[in-house]
Amino acid sequence: MIELIEGDTPNEVRELPEQYAAIPQLTAIAAAGNGHLNDHVEVNGGLVFKREWLHRKGLKPQHLIAFYAEGHSMEPTIADGDVLLLDKSQTDPVTRGIYAIRRPNGEISVKRLIQSLTGRWTIRSDNDDKRQFPDEPVSQDEMEGLAILGRIVWHAGVL
């Protein structure tokens, strides 16, 4: 099996054993804060995962991309600089899930989506400092217009 994985050049292709899948790693940044505008995004190699692990988690390699978080609004769950794995097929929000969302101004944020008992949605940061990272109630019209790029299904960072 041939997959794109990190090499000397972004387009280098190497042999990868069948039990592994290389997930494209993008230069994109999603802000764990106010949002980040990605004017230009490139594939910068890939992250390798065991296909068996992906299968156990119900994930399909063709739906996954990896990119980076920037900011502190999702701490302690997601730290500044963490690598995130996004499942592009999971765009229907599930309460308490963490999603990459595109704001109306084009900026991308990583936030938790919370649905209340009345059905209203809130965009929430995990950081307890609600003065700096307040909850954002979302009207039904705003929710329908929100571009959910996918659900964050895994992250990695320094302990």
Side-chain angles (χ1 to χ4, degrees):
M1 173 176 138
I2 303 292
E3 293 275 358
L4 177 68
I5 61 173
E6 191 168 4
D8 295 330
T9 66
N11 297 321
E12 184 175 343
V13 177
R14 295 187 185 169
E15 193 78 22
L16 189 64
E18 185 63 33
Q19 69 263 33
Y20 297 100
I23 306 305
Q25 186 171 358
L26 307 182
T27 58
I29 294 172
N34 296 327
H36 186 87
L37 189 58
N38 291 282
D39 293 328
H40 180 75
V41 176
E42 295 179 2
V43 174
N44 187 22
L47 292 179
V48 177
F49 290 85
K50 284 190 169 184
R51 288 183 183 278
E52 191 272 328
W53 182 85
L54 294 172
H55 180 74
R56 271 196 338 259
K57 300 298 180 191
L59 304 172
K60 296 182 179 179
Q62 66 268 26
H63 296 154
L64 303 174
I65 58 171
F67 58 100
Y68 297 90
E70 181 180 86
H72 304 281
S73 75
M74 290 302 292
E75 290 178 352
T77 309
I78 297 171
D80 183 40
D82 278 2
V83 178
L84 307 176
L85 189 63
L86 176 94
D87 185 341
K88 299 180 293 184
S89 72
Q90 295 188 45
T91 57
D92 292 330
V94 175
T95 192
R96 305 209 52 79
I98 299 174
Y99 294 87
I101 57 175
R102 182 179 292 117
R103 307 273 185 173
N105 63 3
E107 293 180 342
I108 297 174
S109 297
V110 171
K111 298 291 180 183
R112 191 174 298 278
L113 296 177
I114 307 291
Q115 189 174 34
S116 71
L117 294 174
T118 64
R120 286 189 55 102
W121 287 92
T122 299
I123 298 172
R124 179 170 293 161
S125 298
D126 283 1
N127 193 310
D128 287 337
D129 183 353
K130 294 305 174 192
R131 277 197 258 182
Q132 187 172 357
F133 306 109
D135 288 352
E136 303 172 53
V138 181
S139 72
Q140 187 61 34
D141 288 341
E142 290 171 324
M143 192 64 187
E144 290 173 6
L146 193 62
I148 299 174
L149 304 178
R151 186 174 183 170
I152 305 300
V153 293
W154 175 88
H155 76 98
V158 177
L159 292 176

